Amino acid sequence: MRRWLRDPLAWTGAALIALVLGMPLLEPLFAHLFPNLDRPLYRQQSFLDLTLAHVALVGLSSAVSLVVGLCIGVFVTRRSGREFRPVLESMVAIAQTVPPVAALAIAAPLIGFGALPALIALALYGLLPVVQSTTAGLGAVPSPVRESAAAMGMSTLQVLLRVELPLAWPVILAGARTSVVINIGTAAIASTVGTQTLGTPIIIGLSGFNTAYVIQGALVVALLAVVVDQALGRLARPLPTQA
């Protein structure tokens, strides 16, 4: 029990579950804090359903960002792709600088409202940290290590998969971790185009001047980001190489 209490992931995870499942029990607290509100607790959807939808959207968009970012990072660190590195890095940086609200405003009229425009916007928004960490991680692999692996008879692909990527994994994961945490917060904006996320009570609260709704949604989003960040941090260990 003492070891469990000293584990931040354990007690923050437990706090997240308790908050998501036990939000209705906090209605008296919010009624006391906001006595002027007729409806101090958001009840249009359960916070469990909203959390699951939020996690699904973030997970899918982050997976796309990770795959595409890895491919770009690997490509620009190869001899055949080095000349394209400035162009691709500039394009990815531009995607990061475009506000998610603007991306949603452009995508929604073109492809419709719902999860798809939110998925595209989040995937583009999460690319930059993954690309930067992939190029940094692969660039930090010592040349003698690559040469030794090639001297052992490994092909270029084998050197990449069995030597370079395992050594670069902690740096790549750091970028992926940043990307996911950013997307957890940014995904709340997806509710503006009709996607059910933890941003739904926040958007409804802002439009209806209901501060209690805003606080309820923001608390769950913030705690979810903390839990996911700590969980991904447990994976930040170098993978075993097979040279």
Side-chain angles (χ1 to χ4, degrees):
M1 179 62 70
R2 185 174 300 177
R3 182 179 179 182
W4 184 86
L5 291 174
R6 290 178 178 176
D7 187 354
L9 178 59
W11 59 262
T12 52
L16 175 64
I17 295 172
L19 184 61
V20 170
L21 299 180
M23 188 69 78
L25 301 177
L26 298 179
E27 184 170 7
L29 174 61
F30 285 104
H32 175 73
L33 294 175
F34 303 96
N36 296 327
L37 295 178
D38 295 331
R39 299 177 181 177
L41 187 70
Y42 180 79
R43 291 185 175 275
Q44 296 184 28
Q45 292 99 8
S46 72
F47 277 89
L48 176 60
D49 291 339
L50 293 175
T51 301
L52 293 176
H54 197 100
V55 170
L57 179 62
V58 172
L60 186 55
S61 62
S62 297
V64 173
S65 297
L66 181 59
V67 172
V68 175
L70 272 173
C71 291
I72 294 175
V74 169
F75 175 67
V76 299
T77 54
R78 304 302 98 179
R79 182 177 301 177
S80 58
R82 287 173 185 168
E83 60 182 308
F84 298 99
R85 181 169 181 170
V87 176
L88 290 174
E89 287 184 339
S90 297
M91 292 176 62
V92 172
I94 291 173
Q96 178 77 24
T97 57
V98 175
V101 174
L104 290 172
I106 296 172
L110 296 176
I111 60 180
F113 289 81
L116 185 57
L119 175 64
I120 294 174
L122 290 175
L124 291 174
Y125 202 64
L127 269 179
L128 183 60
V130 178
V131 173
Q132 289 182 333
S133 63
T134 301
T135 55
L138 292 176
V141 176
S143 297
V145 174
R146 297 191 186 94
E147 295 169 359
S148 298
M152 294 175 60
M154 288 188 180
S155 64
T156 303
L157 181 60
Q158 288 176 323
V159 172
L160 172 65
L161 297 179
R162 299 171 63 178
V163 178
E164 292 185 80
L165 286 178
L167 292 175
W169 173 247
V171 180
I172 295 173
L173 182 61
R177 184 177 174 182
T178 301
S179 177
V180 172
V181 172
I182 290 175
N183 274 355
I184 289 176
T186 309
I189 306 175
S191 295
T192 58
V193 293
T195 305
Q196 295 299 321
T197 68
L198 288 169
T200 302
I202 298 176
I203 300 300
I204 293 177
L206 290 174
S207 61
F209 302 100
N210 191 321
T211 308
Y213 288 2
V214 177
I215 293 176
Q216 291 158 22
L219 280 175
V220 181
V221 171
L223 196 52
L224 177 62
V226 171
V227 170
V228 172
D229 181 62
Q230 291 180 352
L232 292 176
R234 300 292 176 89
L235 302 176
R237 300 175 180 174
L239 298 178
T241 59
Q242 302 179 29

